[in-house]
Structures are given as structure tokens and as C-alpha cells.
Amino acid sequence: MTNALELRDLKKSFGPVEIIRGVNLDLRAGERHALIGPNGAGKSTLFHLISGRIAPTSGQILFQGQNIAGKPPAEIVRAGLSRSFQITNIFPQMSVLDNLRCAVLWKLGHRYSIFRQTPTLPDVAIECERLLDQLGLTRRAHDTADSLTYPEQRALELGLAVASGANTLLLDEPMAGMNHSETEAALQLIMKVTEGKTLLMVEHDMGVIFEMADRISVLVYGQIIATGTPQEIRANRAVQEAYLGTTEEEAA
Amino acid sequence: MSVSTLDTPARSANTRLTAALPWLAITAMLVILPLLFSSNSMISTLNYLGTMAIFALSYNVLLGQTGLLSLGHGTFFGLGGFIATHAILHMAEAGLSFPLPLIPAIGGFGALILGVFGGWLASGRGGMPFAMITLGLAELVYAAAALFPSIYGSEEGIAIDRMELGASFGMDYGPTVDIYVIIAVWFLICAGILYYFSKTPLGLLTNAVRDNAERIEFLGFSARRVRMLAYAIAAAVAGVAGSLAALNFEIMTVNEMGAATCMLVLLMTYIGGTKHFFGPVLGAIVIGLMKIWLSDISPAWMMYFGLLFIFVVMVQPAGLAGILMDGIALARSGTAAAQAPMLALIGLAGLMTLIGTIILIELAYRAGLDAPLGPEITVLGLPLNTGSVLSWGLGAVLAGGGIAAMRPLLDRLDTLRHTLSQGETA
């Protein structure tokens, strides 16, 4: 099986403090991969490195064989790797439809065009209608994004990442702050919209992780201490010591 | 259910008519205005307002649409004006015939090129860095003007004769009304282009940059590129406005691109309202008229200017256009009649405050700056005296009473509206 994404000895320091201390990780094409780890382990920093928000100090990030380390976010998205954010990061004063329009413009080749009016572009309209339907936001299409409920905003956040047409998605805690039933709905939504895509996801809810992930990697103090199937991770002694033990008992 | 997200040309003719209505109204107004106000000085005033309206519309591409606070937009107004001026002078010297109404296209194109360059320098980041760089660039160009008197003229500027290029389109451009025709047509062209632009993919992306510049990077776009393009387009239209000003006044001076012009366009756009497409036009008209008429009537006109600005910032950030829209919404809500007595009381309190404030300001100016003119002064038909406690007291009582009454009245209005909306749902 080919790898969609490979991290090779990736490091990031902020001043004298090394946050990511040599991460090696393979993401297989088409798999759902969960990244777990205690608070402050560097999960979000790792996402920022991969998505180009910050540049790594050293190491390689190979996306489909190309080293994308240190490239600007826009180039990484155009190459086919997009992300969502832990803290909702949408266009608050714009309508839901306009949010999605922005997200599909690049992949449909309209880019910075000034020669057509966006509402008259048939391909944009079709793609946005499909996305609105998938996300369950059709009724809210013309409302401003900041008027959405929290789960709707999270759905839109996910939608922006998916709409850009990337085949590999980084999802940073897509269920953060949701209650049980909202989490269940969000999980179904993620499974639906990311079908056939490669997924790397940070999540805290162990129930969600063991339900959806093909493989799990555990990040502790800036290093991956284990990677494996949910069963392997459950059984891994180092993981239990560092992180899982208590959660496992709670879940049982 | 299905919500159509596509505007096809076939989409009901009704919606298209509604969309065309404001444009038809504006075109009709542009035709009627010079017939109503046909004196030379009135046409001249209209020319000035039209120029400023185009200028303010161009500024709103940055402020309202892209969320960029430029402190140096006057630069492109001035540069466009100088490019137009030199184009006329050189063509007249070479004996070329060129239709005068097309001169603003040259000024606009020149400003576009300079705008691309300026935008490339300024648009790396939004917010504070953008504001500071635009301020720096404006000061740089202004200071450089002193080094090139052949381009910018010295203090008296560069004069032109707009008739030198000869007649075209059946006009010889001597009468002010000929220039009015040019400005009115350019207003429609510029407003049309900017409105169209706001609906294009790039126009949508400028809104996205305003809302969340970082996020569009993660959707494949460069926020810098969007800012730069918006900057260049705004510069081009400002250049057209500057060219029109040069045609109207037949002179261009360095002052036209100084800090005062940069601030004026900011005030016009903000006070008019950045959230509505035609808000800046409203601002240009109101501020333009204040500048022309109020400066004749009162030495304190700058003070009123500032107070209006503070009022808009504090009371209605959507500007005069926002107040207008609120009014329309009120009229449509069907509760206008029920609210009318309360609104009238609030209006009365506002009027009291306004009159009181005007009395106090005029008295203060007369007592201070204009003391040599004597203590007697007539304000709004009232004979006042700077030495009289009664005069000062009248102003203070009106202003203080109005302000004191305002708060409880607004609270009552809130309660009334609450009751009305509850009655609606029940």
C-alpha cells in the first residue's frame, strides 16, 4: 500500500524549547488515522507543521512523494492536503453559501477571476448545492455563518476543508465541545463526507476513535511512542502507562 | 427541499428588475439634477459631489469590502489627476486631437499601474501594518512632489485649459454642464464596474480576506494577492476621480493628494456606511455639502464634521446608509404607527441636543477665535451674546436636557418594541 503522507524525523523548536522531537509517521492512502496524546503533547503543532501554518525546524514532510516542509498553506492545499481547525475558523459575516463558494473556487479553476459573477457560475452552484446537502446546511445557505449553531458551525468548518477537493484531510478535534448526541451526528457526517479520502484526525473522545480509526498513533512529549490498530494500541503497555490507562477504565 | 444557489439569466425577470431599479433611479436622478439646479455654481457643486462619490466608492473597495484601512488613498486621486493633467498638456502641445471625456481613462490606467506597485509594497499583511505602510507611501509621494516641480508644479500646481483638446461628442467643454455630463457618465461606469466586481470570484475573496484572511490561505488562495488586486482596482477608480477633479477645476495641486484628502475620503466612506454599496455615495454627498455650505455659514464647520463622525461611530457603525435602512425596515415592519409618538419624542430630544450644542459651539467660537467680531451673534435666528449668561444657559439647558431625556426615552422605545414583537408572535 502506498503512503499518502510520510513524516521523517520532523522537529520543531520554539526558541530553546523543542516541542516536536523527531516525529516519524506514515499515513497510508485511504486509511483513517487517529492521532491521540495528552494535552501539550504537540498534536496541534504537528498539524500546523504539516499544513504549512508554521515551518518545521528540520525534517521532511513527504506528501505523495513530494517534500512540502516549509511551503505556504495555499500551495499545500492546491497539492491536495487540506485541514480543519480546532477553534472554528470560518468567514463569520458571509453567508454559508459564500463560505463554501470561496472553498470551491480554486479547485474549479476560477481562482481570482473578475470576468464572471460568482452566482452565475453553474459548476460552483452545483458543487455548493451538493456540499450544502451533504453537510445538512441547505436550509441555512443564505444565513450568515456567525448565526449558525455550534454544531452547524463545526459542520461548515469541516465543509470548508472537504470543499477544497483535497484527497487528504487533517481534522483537528472536529467534535471538540459537543455533547454526546452531537458527537454521534458529527461522526456520521465525517464518515460520510470523507469517504474514499485519507484522514488524519486529532480527537479526545476514545469511543469515537476506537469506532472509526483504522490505525492510531500516540504522541507524547513530541514523539510518536506507538502506532497500530486500535487493538494493538489498547494492548500496548507504553501507551497504557503514558496515557490510556485511566481512560480505558473509565470507558469500561 | 431545494434552495437554488444559481442565478441563471432565466431566473425570474422580477428579481432582475428589482436589481436594476436602483440603477434606473440613479440614472434618472443624474439626468434630472442639472435641470433642477441649473445655475453655474450649483452645477459646479454637483460636479464636485460626483467626483467625491466616485472617490468614496473606490475607497470602500478597501475599507468595506476587503477590510483594509488605507491612510493614503488620496495619493491615487492626486496621481490620477496629475497624469490626466500632463496627458492633456502634452497632447495639446503635440497638436493631437483626443476626446476629453476619455482622459479619465488615462488617469485611471496610470493609477492602476502605480496601484499594483503600491499594493505589492503594502499588502503583505492587513490591519495595522497595512495602514502604516499606506500612510508612509502617501507621505513619501507627497514629500517627493517637492523634488519634481516640473511634474507636480510648485505651490500653485499645474493648470490646464480643458478646451485645448478641441470639441468632441458635440461639446466644446467650456460650460460647466459639459463637465457634468462627463462626470455623470463616469460615475455610472465606475459604480457599475465596482458593483460587478463585488459579485465576481475576486470580489467574494475580498470579503473573505476581510472576515478571515488566514483561512483563505488554507483554501488555496493568497491573501496578499487579493489585497494587492483590491488595492490596484481601488487606485484605478480613485485615479479616474482625480482626473475628473482636474477637468472640473482645470488645475491640479499637490494638496489634492495630501493627508487632508486621505482623511476626507475615509470620513466620507465611513460616515456614509461601508456595509452598503451606495453608502459611500451618501457620505460623499453629505460631507461634500457640509464642506461647501457649512464652511460658508460657520467657522466651526470642522467641529461639526468631527461630531458627526463620532456620532456615527458610536450610534450606528453601519453609517448613514445603515440609519436609512433601519428606517426602511421600520416602515415595512407595520409597527411604525405604534412607534411614531415615541420616535417623535426621541427626535425632539435629539433636536434639542443638536440646537443646544450648536449654540454652545457658536458662542465658544465667537468668544474665542472670532472675539474681534464682537459679542453679538445670531445663531439659527436667535440673537445671542457671548457676554450673556442667558445665552450660554440656553445652550446648556437645551443640550443637557436633550441628553438627559434621551436615555429613558430609548429605554421606553426598547420596551415598546419588545411588546410589539411579542404581540406579533402571540
Side-chain angles (χ1 to χ4, degrees), chain B residues 13 125 135 203 266 303 401:
Chain B
R125 286 166 66 195
L135 180 65
L266 169 59
M303 179 76 121

Side-chain angles (χ1 to χ4, degrees), chain B residues 59 61 221 234 333 360 423:
Chain B
Y59 189 71
V61 171
F221 294 96
S333 71
L360 289 177

Side-chain angles (χ1 to χ4, degrees), chain B residues 211-297:
Chain B
D211 269 21
N212 191 345
E214 191 202 24
R215 187 54 149 130
I216 80 154
E217 303 269 347
F218 290 92
L219 298 177
F221 294 96
S222 155
R224 175 177 192 155
R225 174 83 82 87
V226 174
R227 284 189 203 106
M228 191 181 96
L229 293 171
Y231 193 82
I233 288 168
V237 179
V240 170
S243 307
L244 292 169
L247 296 188
N248 188 32
F249 297 122
E250 298 191 285
I251 191 166
M252 203 65 209
T253 67
V254 175
N255 281 336
E256 295 291 339
M257 58 185 191
T261 310
C262 297
M263 281 305 118
L264 185 66
V265 72
L266 169 59
L267 290 179
M268 283 176 169
T269 309
Y270 192 89
I271 289 176
T274 59
K275 294 186 170 71
H276 302 277
F277 182 78
F278 286 111
V281 176
L282 197 61
I285 293 170
V286 171
I287 302 295
L289 287 178
M290 274 180 87
K291 204 169 170 247
I292 294 172
W293 288 343
L294 214 54
S295 59
D296 277 350
I297 305 170

Side-chain angles (χ1 to χ4, degrees), chain B residues 129-169:
Chain B
F130 178 86
M132 291 302 123
I133 292 171
T134 53
L135 180 65
L137 285 176
E139 288 299 313
L140 198 71
V141 173
Y142 186 75
L147 303 176
F148 303 103
S150 62
I151 299 177
Y152 299 106
S154 39
E155 273 174 26
E156 66 271 22
I158 294 202
I160 52 166
D161 177 357
R162 65 194 179 206
M163 292 172 75
E164 261 192 314
L165 290 181
S168 50
F169 298 104

Side-chain angles (χ1 to χ4, degrees), chain A residues 51 53 73-74 77-78 83 85 89-94 97-98 101-103 105-106 111-122 125 129 132 138-139 142 157 160, chain B residues 1-9 195-197 199-205 207-223 225-226 229 233 275:
Chain A
S51 62
R53 196 185 213 184
V77 178
R78 292 174 202 165
R83 68 166 296 180
F85 290 81
N89 202 347
I90 53 183
F91 306 106
Q93 291 178 54
M94 288 161 53
L97 177 57
D98 280 345
R101 278 172 174 160
C102 283
L105 280 176
W106 187 274
R111 306 191 177 183
Y112 306 98
S113 165
I114 52 167
F115 299 109
R116 293 281 303 274
Q117 297 202 312
T118 320
T120 66
L121 298 168
E129 268 178 59
L132 284 167
T138 306
R139 292 166 153 277
H142 297 286
E157 171 75 43
L160 291 183
Chain B
M1 82 178 256
S2 114
V3 172
S4 176
T5 56
L6 181 65
D7 276 356
T8 60
Y195 186 76
Y196 188 90
F197 168 66
K199 302 286 176 198
T200 63
L202 181 60
L204 184 63
L205 290 168
N207 289 161
V209 165
R210 174 198 66 202
D211 269 21
N212 191 345
E214 191 202 24
R215 187 54 149 130
I216 80 154
E217 303 269 347
F218 290 92
L219 298 177
F221 294 96
S222 155
R225 174 83 82 87
V226 174
L229 293 171
I233 288 168
K275 294 186 170 71

Side-chain angles (χ1 to χ4, degrees), chain A residues 121-193:
Chain A
L121 298 168
D123 50 352
V124 172
I126 291 166
E127 183 64 8
C128 287
E129 268 178 59
R130 189 183 67 80
L131 285 161
L132 284 167
D133 182 49
Q134 266 197 339
L135 299 167
L137 292 174
T138 306
R139 292 166 153 277
R140 303 287 257 154
H142 297 286
D143 297 332
T144 58
D146 60 1
S147 72
L148 298 179
T149 66
Y150 182 71
E152 285 173 336
Q153 289 194 357
R154 295 304 295 174
L156 181 58
E157 171 75 43
L158 176 69
L160 291 183
V162 173
S164 59
N167 58 24
T168 303
L169 295 169
L170 309 179
L171 304 183
D172 197 352
E173 297 200 32
M175 285 91 159
M178 290 189 181
N179 66 31
H180 189 73
S181 64
E182 288 167 350
T183 301
E184 186 55 36
L187 179 61
Q188 296 310 318
L189 180 64
I190 290 170
M191 300 289 257
K192 186 169 70 177
V193 298

